[in-house]
């Protein structure tokens, strides 16, 4: 997992049929408790949930992770200014830290049931 020769950015898009109902138990697998609580407190919760899951998929692709993403080791949080930021924990945080000082950046959007996310390496 290097910040060099791999992709500089990854875009993922999810359609409404990719989002189960807001109370579906799979959300507890994909998202942290904090992410679910945040999204469920908003109008169009499924879009907010789906945007966070889609962002994690984009990050996993950017990092070239083998197998399914380590869902619970990634969390999309809001910065003080409201922009999303990625927080890593556990073994994934160690792997990324060992490969360089940067943590991927993320951007999310959603509308009419669709969600999209961009994950990229910030310029050094």
């Amino acid at each position: 997992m290097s910040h060099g020769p791999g992709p500089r950015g990854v875009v993922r898009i999810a359609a409404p049929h990719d989002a189960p109902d807001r109370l579906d138990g799979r959300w507890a697998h994909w998202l942290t408790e904090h992410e679910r609580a945040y999204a469920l407190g908003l109008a169009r919760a499924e879009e907010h949930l789906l945007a966070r899951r889609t962002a994690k998929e984009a990050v996993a692709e950017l990092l070239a992770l083998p197998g399914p993403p380590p869902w619970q080791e990634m969390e999309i949080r809001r910065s003080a200014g409201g922009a999303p930021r990625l927080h890593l924990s556990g073994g994934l945080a160690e792997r990324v830290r060992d490969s360089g000082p940067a943590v991927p950046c993320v951007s999310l959007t959603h509308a009419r049931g669709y969600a999209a996310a961009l994950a990229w390496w910030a310029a050094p």
Side-chain angles (χ1 to χ4, degrees), residues 22 27 36 39-51:
R22 69 182 69 205
W27 291 117
R36 293 189 318 274
L40 292 172
L42 300 170
R44 303 185 335 263
E46 283 86 356
E47 290 179 10
H48 291 273
L49 294 164
L50 186 58

Side-chain angles (χ1 to χ4, degrees), residues 32-112:
T32 66
E33 183 177 340
H34 180 264
E35 290 171 312
R36 293 189 318 274
Y38 169 77
L40 292 172
L42 300 170
R44 303 185 335 263
E46 283 86 356
E47 290 179 10
H48 291 273
L49 294 164
L50 186 58
R52 280 153 180 74
R53 189 187 82 196
T54 304
K56 291 180 178 191
E57 291 169 344
V59 168
E61 185 176 337
L62 180 71
L63 297 175
L65 298 177
W71 299 106
Q72 296 297 316
E73 294 182 8
M74 293 185 270
E75 185 172 73
I76 307 300
R77 297 179 178 174
R78 289 176 56 107
S79 66
R85 65 179 172 83
L86 177 65
H87 174 78
L88 302 176
S89 62
L92 182 58
E94 291 176 25
R95 287 177 65 184
V96 171
R97 191 172 34 252
D98 290 347
S99 67
V103 171
C105 300
V106 293
S107 181
L108 296 79
T109 190
H110 49 81
R112 297 184 185 247

